[in-house]
Amino acid sequence: MSDPYSSRTPVHEQVVDGFGTVRVLPLDPGADAAVIHRWVGEERAAFWGMTELTEQQVAAVYAHMAALDTHHAHLVVRDGEPVALLQTYEPEADRVSECYDVRPGDIGVHLLLAPAGPGGGQPGWTARLVAVVAAYVLLGLDRRRVVVDPDVRNEKAVARFLGLGFAPGPVVVLPEIDLPDVYLPEKKAQLAFLDRELMFPG
């Protein structure tokens, strides 16, 4: 099967033994909207806050993000198959900065995994994918610490991050954002942190 993403230049590419070639591509709002719309429209993605959006609205959200210097969206592809939506952001330019003391070298991450394939989830699959994402943001972007802020009600995501070695931070309330281009409701979040030294000792 040909890889429809092979012509696109990745910001990070890594071959993982027994897993495949993982490429992190800058999100193309037009070309990738159909895939992202399918993922965010599922009930399991309710905490992503986009279940009601049309494909065109999803494309518009990411076209707006593409114009920002502080927030970036990526499509993570494994052996030619989209497997995750990765968003990175500068914490000091985000509402999360109102809820904790941002350190130099921090980077914020939102990660939405694709639905499991016909065979269901595979043991260790998420850990290997997150290790590639961590290599990109911590080593590739030369950052000291990853910050995540899953909704406290999203127990699965919170447990996943803690199980992958993230240290729990405080439970905080991210303030509502109501701007012409962006609306985000108030969110009660569990902050968690991953230090580069822990993930990549030495």
Side-chain angles (χ1 to χ4, degrees):
M1 189 177 89
S2 65
D3 177 357
Y5 300 97
S6 58
S7 63
R8 288 164 61 174
T9 303
V11 292
H12 182 77
E13 184 169 342
Q14 194 171 329
V15 178
V16 182
D17 284 347
F19 189 66
T21 300
V22 180
R23 302 167 77 231
V24 181
L25 308 173
L27 190 79
D28 181 326
D32 299 329
V35 169
I36 301 305
H37 177 251
R38 195 167 68 242
W39 294 351
V40 299
E42 294 191 347
E43 187 56 40
R44 67 181 191 90
F47 294 108
W48 207 255
M50 299 172 77
T51 48
E52 304 301 317
L53 299 192
T54 65
E55 185 178 318
Q56 289 71 28
Q57 287 171 318
V58 169
V61 167
Y62 287 103
H64 170 73
M65 189 179 293
L68 302 176
D69 293 330
T70 54
H71 293 62
H72 302 281
H74 304 85
L75 189 69
V76 184
V77 177
R78 170 188 170 231
D79 291 343
E81 195 67 35
V83 290
L85 168 62
L86 167 68
Q87 293 175 199
T88 61
Y89 61 92
E90 303 299 335
E92 64 269 21
D94 190 86
R95 60 180 177 166
V96 75
S97 65
E98 298 182 35
C99 302
Y100 89 103
D101 292 327
V102 179
R103 289 186 199 163
D106 279 359
I107 186 166
V109 164
H110 297 302
L111 185 66
L112 177 65
L113 301 177
Q122 300 167 343
W125 191 95
T126 301
R128 284 187 280 188
L129 187 68
V130 168
V132 173
V133 169
Y136 166 56
V137 296
L138 290 170
L139 302 179
L141 298 179
D142 192 24
R143 297 307 183 96
R144 307 300 310 175
R145 186 170 70 154
V146 174
V147 181
V148 294
D149 61 359
D151 192 301
V152 290
R153 296 168 299 168
N154 191 353
E155 295 172 359
K156 194 170 181 181
V158 173
R160 180 187 294 132
F161 283 123
L162 298 183
L164 291 168
F166 280 73
V171 172
V172 299
V173 176
L174 303 184
E176 176 188 62
I177 294 196
D178 193 358
L179 299 172
D181 294 320
V182 178
Y183 174 74
L184 294 170
E186 185 178 272
K187 175 174 128 178
K188 192 175 185 183
Q190 169 68 64
L191 297 188
F193 304 91
L194 182 67
D195 289 308
R196 185 163 80 183
E197 288 73 19
L198 182 76
M199 193 75 187
F200 303 103

